[in-house]
Amino acid sequence: NAGVTQTPKFRVLKTGQSMTLLCAQDMNHEYMYWYRQDPGMGLRLIHYSVGEGTTAKGEVPDGYNVSRLKKQNFLLGLESAAPSQTSVYFCASSYSKGTSGEIITYNEQFFGPGTRLTVL
Amino acid sequence: AQKVTQAQTEISVVEKEDVTLDCVYETRDTTYYLFWYKQPPSGELVFLIRRNSFDEQNEISGRYSWNFQKSTSSFNFTITASQVVDSAVYFCALSGRSWGKLQFGAGTQVVVTP
């Protein structure tokens, strides 16, 4: 199993350009997440998805859009890149246990290798 | 709102010394989960441990141990007899009942010198 993969690994954009980051997981996980990592700030949640066809905003969603057309893929788009979006982007996937009527427990997230994006 | 505080920005030790990383959290959820992740210089995030809020037993895994104290809202991590390979950034994280979303601390850089 490849786990969680991200493409590309590195990218340099000019201000105003657009791009899409692709995340894929082969673990059949329900939940997928996009985080950004900036120096001294840990990781911050951008958007997340709790299932195919669903997405929701995280802590820092502005300037980003996402789509999850297939369960195994989660795409992060930058429509008009800005220098403030220079960061390392991590995708993660996870799963839960429990059904309706039971206590649902959430498990650890599995992270991809990251994409280093520079916006000039 | 949830919050995770890792007050130590960087800790430097000499090999074989013990090092303890502090993590203090805030949450209003009665059920929550605490995690530690390691980020070595290569950049990937490596899962170390997950702890449920209703399980306060401490855990030991090799040279790693974790001390969970609900009374002080802390989940500290100790590396015993540190090695150079332990040099990394360590993140403490918290998730509540909302879809497993993680709130990360700022991370603690551990530098182990020979």
Side-chain angles (χ1 to χ4, degrees):
Chain A
N1 286 351
V4 180
T5 58
Q6 293 182 232
T7 52
K9 288 185 170 52
F10 304 93
R11 185 73 186 269
V12 178
L13 290 178
K14 294 181 180 178
T15 297
Q17 289 185 318
S18 63
M19 78 163 293
T20 300
L21 282 66
L22 172 62
C23 175
Q25 53 97 1
D26 61 3
M27 296 173 283
N28 201 33
H29 285 171
E30 308 146 63
Y31 310 131
M32 296 188 75
Y33 312 85
W34 276 107
Y35 295 89
R36 59 178 288 173
Q37 181 180 15
D38 301 296
M41 301 187 72
L43 280 77
R44 292 180 293 168
L45 182 65
I46 305 171
H47 285 282
Y48 65 102
S49 168
V50 302
E52 183 178 317
T54 72
T55 62
K57 294 180 180 179
E59 181 185 353
V60 288
D62 293 343
Y64 306 95
N65 57 74
V66 288
S67 64
R68 192 160 177 209
L69 299 180
K70 294 183 179 180
K71 186 177 185 179
Q72 63 268 34
N73 295 338
F74 194 29
L75 279 62
L76 177 71
L78 285 74
E79 289 187 350
S80 180
S84 60
Q85 294 178 303
T86 293
S87 189
V88 179
Y89 292 85
F90 286 96
C91 176
S93 71
S94 187
Y95 62 103
S96 62
K97 292 180 182 177
T99 58
S100 176
E102 300 176 348
I103 295 176
I104 296 176
T105 60
Y106 297 98
N107 296 277
E108 68 273 17
Q109 293 184 13
F110 296 79
F111 284 84
T115 295
R116 186 173 293 276
L117 175 65
T118 301
V119 182
L120 303 175
Chain B
Q2 298 183 327
K3 186 178 179 182
V4 176
T5 302
Q6 294 180 256
Q8 304 148 307
T9 305
E10 182 172 327
I11 302 175
S12 294
V13 296
V14 177
E15 211 169 16
K16 296 184 183 178
E17 288 183 341
D18 297 348
V19 57
T20 295
L21 285 64
D22 298 332
C23 174
V24 175
Y25 63 91
E26 296 176 27
T27 181
R28 293 182 179 176
D29 290 333
T30 54
T31 299
Y32 52 90
Y33 310 89
L34 294 161
F35 304 81
W36 277 94
Y37 283 85
K38 174 182 180 180
Q39 187 176 43
S42 51
E44 74 272 23
L45 284 151
V46 179
F47 166 73
L48 296 178
I49 189 171
R50 166 181 172 268
R51 175 62 70 206
N52 300 335
S53 55
F54 42 86
D55 180 3
E56 288 193 69
Q57 279 193 337
N58 292 328
E59 183 155 340
I60 298 174
S61 176
R63 295 184 297 105
Y64 294 170
S65 63
W66 291 269
N67 182 7
F68 176 32
Q69 290 195 339
K70 234 173 160 176
S71 59
T72 56
S73 297
S74 64
F75 187 42
N76 297 337
F77 172 33
T78 298
I79 303 172
T80 303
S82 60
Q83 300 176 1
V84 173
V85 294
D86 296 326
S87 295
V89 179
Y90 291 87
F91 291 100
C92 180
L94 166 71
S95 75
R97 298 298 308 279
S98 179
W99 309 113
K101 296 181 293 178
L102 288 175
Q103 181 70 45
F104 281 84
T108 298
Q109 171 86 57
V110 173
V111 178
V112 183
T113 53

